[in-house]
Amino acid sequence: MNIKKRTQVFERLRNANPEPTTELNYNNPFELLIAVILSAQATDVSVNKATAKLFPIANTPEKILSIKEAGLKKYIKTIGLYNSKAKNIIKTCRILLEIHTGEVPAEREALEALPGVGRKTANVVLNTAFGHPTIAVDTHIFRVSNRTGLAPGKNVVEVEKNLLKRVPDAFKKDAHHWLILHGRYTCIARKPRCGSCIIEDLCEYRHKTEPESAPNT
């Protein structure tokens, strides 16, 4: 995909959604960090249901440590891998207090040193909480980038590097949100909804689907 097409792709995505953001509910960087840790191999909906009960009770490192690991598990037990996530969150809270005065760091190296925080989580926090032009590649973004020809790559790191090279600077800060939402609701895994896609004519996917016909009445 050439630069002209890539620019048009993001112009259309921006016109359709001028101020995109995560679908995780949060009020500050710490809440976002916890929500993103919980979202690994889980849906945003399931995380939001859990944090809607957790955050009013414990939304700082001190408060989460006060309810201890057992107490935390009661709030997040509906989320996959909740045992390991609870352990990581408790360890992360201790590190935040001991090293970062309770604040979420805005540096990649410091974020990735936190238990339960990998490159993707760090990218989400850096982008969404601090406005850095990072692009966190999940399964949706990996699929959209390869399927459309926007930034093909064999793995998530390769796709991330290609996106950072190819996404025009004007769109880089919001690209993560546009692409994940596009993959979640339009360019879905099993059968992309090409007929209702606003970038269908720019997309280089060879096996585009026909729009679904209306049922007979």
Side-chain angles (χ1 to χ4, degrees):
M1 184 179 290
N2 59 41
I3 182 63
K4 182 179 179 181
K5 275 189 176 182
R6 290 198 299 272
T7 300
Q8 289 178 312
V9 164
F10 285 104
E11 284 176 343
R12 292 185 190 179
L13 293 175
R14 181 178 62 186
N15 289 339
N17 187 2
E19 297 182 0
T21 189
T22 178
E23 293 188 321
L24 291 169
N25 295 331
Y26 73 99
N27 293 299
N28 55 56
F30 179 73
E31 288 187 359
L32 176 65
L33 173 64
I34 299 306
V36 179
I37 291 174
L38 291 174
S39 72
Q41 299 182 49
T43 66
D44 288 358
V45 171
S46 67
V47 172
N48 287 337
K49 286 181 180 178
T51 56
K53 297 178 180 179
L54 172 64
F55 288 159
I57 303 300
N59 68 339
T60 66
E62 296 94 335
K63 290 178 180 178
I64 284 186
L65 289 177
S66 73
I67 65 174
K68 301 180 180 179
E69 186 177 322
L72 176 59
K73 286 181 180 180
K74 291 179 182 178
Y75 289 100
I76 67 171
K77 63 184 179 181
T78 56
I79 298 174
L81 306 175
Y82 75 94
N83 283 312
S84 61
K85 290 176 181 179
K87 284 181 169 56
N88 285 331
I89 288 171
I90 292 294
K91 291 177 183 177
T92 285
C93 287
R94 290 197 183 108
I95 293 172
L96 290 177
L97 287 171
E98 292 169 3
I99 300 178
H100 304 289
T101 65
E103 299 295 322
V104 176
E107 298 80 33
R108 176 185 300 283
E109 185 176 353
L111 282 168
E112 291 188 13
L114 299 172
V117 178
R119 185 176 183 86
K120 185 180 77 171
T121 298
N123 277 336
V124 173
V125 174
L126 289 171
N127 177 264
T128 305
F130 301 112
H132 293 200
T134 58
I135 301 176
V137 178
D138 69 348
T139 55
H140 296 300
I141 295 179
F142 183 80
R143 179 176 64 254
V144 171
S145 297
N146 277 287
R147 184 182 273 168
T148 62
L150 185 66
K154 296 179 181 178
N155 54 60
V156 293
V157 174
E158 193 173 308
V159 167
E160 180 189 335
K161 290 179 179 178
N162 286 336
L163 283 169
L164 290 172
K165 288 179 185 176
R166 298 181 182 186
V167 175
D169 289 343
F171 307 105
K172 206 164 281 182
K173 188 175 80 69
D174 292 321
H176 162 79
H177 298 299
W178 285 319
L179 294 177
I180 194 172
L181 292 171
H182 191 68
R184 185 173 289 168
Y185 297 112
T186 302
C187 197
I188 57 178
R190 289 190 176 183
K191 186 180 180 183
R193 296 168 176 150
C194 299
S196 60
C197 176
I198 61 174
I199 61 169
E200 180 183 5
D201 58 313
L202 303 171
C203 170
E204 297 180 356
Y205 183 49
R206 295 181 180 179
H207 308 290
K208 292 177 182 171
T209 63
E210 296 295 328
E212 295 182 3
S213 56
N216 294 326
T217 58

